[in-house]
């Protein structure tokens, strides 16, 4: 099973292929008072800046931690303002009481929660919050399309072991994992549904960024799109968890 550094192999493709987070998610963070000019944010597993960019656009002061050096370089090129630390978050010393918001955007499943949850709780400022969200590439509640039937068949035929830990896309499983140690409680939860039209080339670029998809499986997905007419409408969803440290409750 590839690790988080899988993304280093195709950093430029990852940067261009991953779709942005829905605007409604950012609107929710703003409504909760977490996306305000002058606040400090810690972006954990920042990638090439899919969350860092909007945080900066809101006027926040951002520290971004990204273990992949090529991704960190892309982040710095696109967004010169944040402090970028090219390291695994587990090895970074985080000052106490520094950040108003800690963010893990489609990255929390790569973090060692035994190490990171205490560190995040400590580094949050008074009234600070931990926001965890991700895009789910395949909305289980949407009608199954012919392409999604093909994808399900590809996944069912694989023999690779599943990634350890809670299912990364499962909101309930991740909620339990993030609150089981008693350091955080859920303050707000929201979900968003959206669609995107992708041709065969775009499916190839996107699916190559998935760490649990082999090159042969990606080619099968690309072939399925071509067989289905050259483009498909993908039904995706996103979820957002906002957690409060229990030490201040």
């Amino acid at each position: 099973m590839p690790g988080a550094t899988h993304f280093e192999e195709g950093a430029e493709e990852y940067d261009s292929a991953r779709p942005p987070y829905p605007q409604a998610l950012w609107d929710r963070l703003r409504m909760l008072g977490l996306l305000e000019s002058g606040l400090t944010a810690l972006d954990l597993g920042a990638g090439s800046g899919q969350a860092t960019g909007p945080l900066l656009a809101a006027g926040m002061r951002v520290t971004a931690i990204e273990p992949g050096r090529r991704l960190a370089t892309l982040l710095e090129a696109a967004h010169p303002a944040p402090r970028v630390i090219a390291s695994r978050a587990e090895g970074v010393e985080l000052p106490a009481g520094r950040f108003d918001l800690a963010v893990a955007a489609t990255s929390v499943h790569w973090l060692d929660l035994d190490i990171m949850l205490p560190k995040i709780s400590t580094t949050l400022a008074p009234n600070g919050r931990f926001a965890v969200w991700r895009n789910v590439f395949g909305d289980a509640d949407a009608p199954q399309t012919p392409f999604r039937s093909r994808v399900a068949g590809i996944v069912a035929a694989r023999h690779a072991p599943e990634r350890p830990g809670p299912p990364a896309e499962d909101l309930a499983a991740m909620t339990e994992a993030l609150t089981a140690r008693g350091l955080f409680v859920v303050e707000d939860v929201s979900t968003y549904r959206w669609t995107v039209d992708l041709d065969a080339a775009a499916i190839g670029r996107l699916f190559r960024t998935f760490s649990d998809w082999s090159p042969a499986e990606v080619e099968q997905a690309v072939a399925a799109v071509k067989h289905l007419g050259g483009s498909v409408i993908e039904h995706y969803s996103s979820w957002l968890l906002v957690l409060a440290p229990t030490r201040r409750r």
Side-chain angles (χ1 to χ4, degrees):
M1 180 64 64
T5 52
H6 159 83
F7 306 112
E8 278 290 274
E9 300 172 8
E12 291 78 9
E13 191 163 59
Y14 177 92
D15 180 52
S16 64
R18 286 289 177 111
Y21 298 107
Q23 182 59 45
L25 185 151
W26 295 108
D27 292 342
R28 183 64 178 172
L29 289 171
R30 185 172 290 105
M31 190 188 78
L32 294 170
L34 301 176
L35 200 66
E36 295 185 2
S37 180
L39 295 183
T40 53
L42 175 67
D43 190 358
L44 298 163
S48 56
Q50 283 80 0
T52 310
L55 293 171
L56 290 169
M60 302 185 76
R61 291 174 287 136
V62 182
T63 296
I65 300 178
E66 167 51 46
R69 292 193 175 275
R70 290 175 62 186
L71 284 167
T73 298
L74 289 173
L75 193 159
E76 289 180 305
H79 307 290
R83 178 192 181 201
V84 178
I85 302 173
S87 173
R88 285 189 58 82
E90 289 83 351
V92 176
E93 184 175 348
L94 298 175
R98 170 67 61 86
F99 296 100
D100 300 299
L101 178 67
V103 164
T106 315
S107 63
V108 73
H109 55 295
W110 295 116
L111 301 177
D112 184 330
L113 297 182
D114 288 330
I115 296 173
M116 288 308 302
L117 289 179
K119 293 181 71 168
I120 294 166
S121 176
T122 300
T123 201
L124 288 175
N127 299 316
R129 294 295 182 264
F130 181 27
V132 178
W133 69 82
R134 73 167 295 123
N135 284 342
V136 179
F137 299 101
D139 185 351
D141 294 326
Q144 189 170 58
T145 63
F147 176 68
R148 275 289 138 184
S149 295
R150 300 285 188 93
V151 169
I154 295 168
V155 171
R158 67 171 48 144
H159 301 292
E162 294 185 3
R163 181 188 288 120
E169 296 185 343
D170 189 317
L171 173 58
M174 289 309 306
T175 300
E176 181 178 357
L178 291 166
T179 58
R181 295 159 182 81
L183 295 173
F184 288 92
V185 294
V186 175
E187 188 170 79
D188 192 78
V189 58
S190 52
T191 58
Y192 311 92
R193 302 176 72 183
W194 48 286
T195 61
V196 60
D197 193 355
L198 300 172
D199 62 17
I203 285 289
R205 289 192 298 271
L206 177 59
F207 278 47
R208 279 191 292 273
T209 71
F210 298 161
S211 60
D212 52 353
W213 276 68
S214 70
E217 290 172 339
V218 172
E219 288 307 310
Q220 291 178 58
V222 170
V225 177
K226 293 178 179 178
H227 184 262
L228 292 168
S231 67
V232 293
I233 296 177
E234 278 279 73
H235 296 269
Y236 293 155
S237 64
S238 305
W239 51 255
L240 165 67
L241 282 172
V242 176
L243 302 115
T246 55
R247 60 186 170 85
R248 301 196 186 99
R249 296 178 65 86

